């Protein structure tokens, strides 16, 4: 990505891990490297306790939603599956707060970028991810100047 205008999407993801099991940064790194990525594909990862880690620079191309990696920022929250492995919005209060804070900050940096969930991206691999309707929940952020 070359500049602020090249970021057209802010895409929300879940890690597709069960709500009753930890999915650490180390586990994600191992899994992403096993898929051929040099590092974690998301720009940000939000653990259940609200801890946020950054894995890509803001204008660095991610590896999280083909064919949109070159024009998007990816944010992933830990979870997205019930304890029996079914898609579920498992965000904790801490994750909701951190996700909202990141989205507001990113909107201020990239005001033209639209907030969407992975499942809302046309042409992307069909998934339940992030297991809630991100554009509906965060539509109000788009109106912040």
């Amino acid at each position: 990505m070359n500049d602020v205008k090249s970021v057209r999407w802010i895409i929300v993801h879940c890690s597709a891990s069960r709500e009753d099991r930890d999915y650490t940064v180390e586990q994600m790194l191992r899994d992403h490297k096993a898929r051929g990525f040099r590092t974690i594909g998301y720009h940000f990862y939000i653990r259940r306790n609200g801890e946020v880690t950054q894995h890509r620079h803001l204008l660095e191309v991610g590896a999280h939603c083909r064919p949109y990696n070159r024009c998007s920022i990816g944010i992933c929250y830990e979870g997205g599956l019930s304890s029996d492995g079914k898609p579920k919005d498992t965000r904790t209060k801490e994750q909701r707060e951190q996700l909202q804070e990141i989205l507001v900050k990113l909107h201020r940096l990239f005001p033209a970028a639209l907030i969407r969930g992975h499942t809302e991206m046309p042409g992307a691999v069909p998934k339940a991810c992030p297991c809630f309707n991100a554009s509906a929940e965060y539509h109000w952020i788009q109106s912040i100047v």
Side-chain angles (χ1 to χ4, degrees), residues 4 11 17 39 47 53 57 59 85 93 98 104 129 135 144:
V4 170
I11 304 173
S17 54
T39 189
R47 299 289 314 273
T53 52
H57 297 291
L59 293 178
K93 176 181 177 277
Q98 290 299 326
V104 167
C129 172
S135 63
I144 296 174

Side-chain angles (χ1 to χ4, degrees), residues 64-130:
H64 58 90
C65 187
R66 257 190 272 176
Y68 299 97
N69 289 323
R70 294 197 172 276
C71 59
S72 66
I73 293 176
I75 306 167
C76 179
Y77 76 89
E78 179 183 16
L81 297 178
S82 64
S83 57
D84 60 350
K86 292 186 172 57
K88 177 183 176 186
D89 181 358
T90 62
R91 290 174 297 158
T92 64
K93 176 181 177 277
E94 293 83 3
Q95 284 174 311
R96 288 174 189 272
E97 289 170 356
Q98 290 299 326
L99 179 56
Q100 180 176 305
E101 186 175 315
I102 291 169
L103 291 171
V104 167
K105 286 178 181 177
L106 289 174
H107 173 68
R108 287 190 174 124
L109 292 170
F110 309 104
L114 300 175
I115 298 167
R116 296 291 185 267
H118 187 166
T119 192
E120 299 175 82
M121 300 304 294
V125 175
K127 298 181 175 193
C129 172

Side-chain angles (χ1 to χ4, degrees), residues 17-65:
S17 54
R18 294 179 187 226
E19 65 185 332
D20 59 347
R21 299 182 191 164
D22 282 341
Y23 188 59
T24 66
V25 170
E26 294 76 22
Q27 289 170 302
M28 181 180 281
L29 178 60
R30 179 199 66 220
D31 292 345
H32 282 214
K33 283 187 170 188
R35 292 172 58 194
F37 304 157
R38 66 172 180 73
T39 189
I40 290 173
Y42 305 109
H43 292 81
F44 298 96
Y45 183 49
I46 307 170
R47 299 289 314 273
R48 279 198 293 270
N49 66 2
E51 176 188 348
V52 176
T53 52
Q54 185 170 351
H55 302 281
R56 303 252 174 162
H57 297 291
L58 288 181
L59 293 178
E60 182 179 358
V61 174
H64 58 90
C65 187

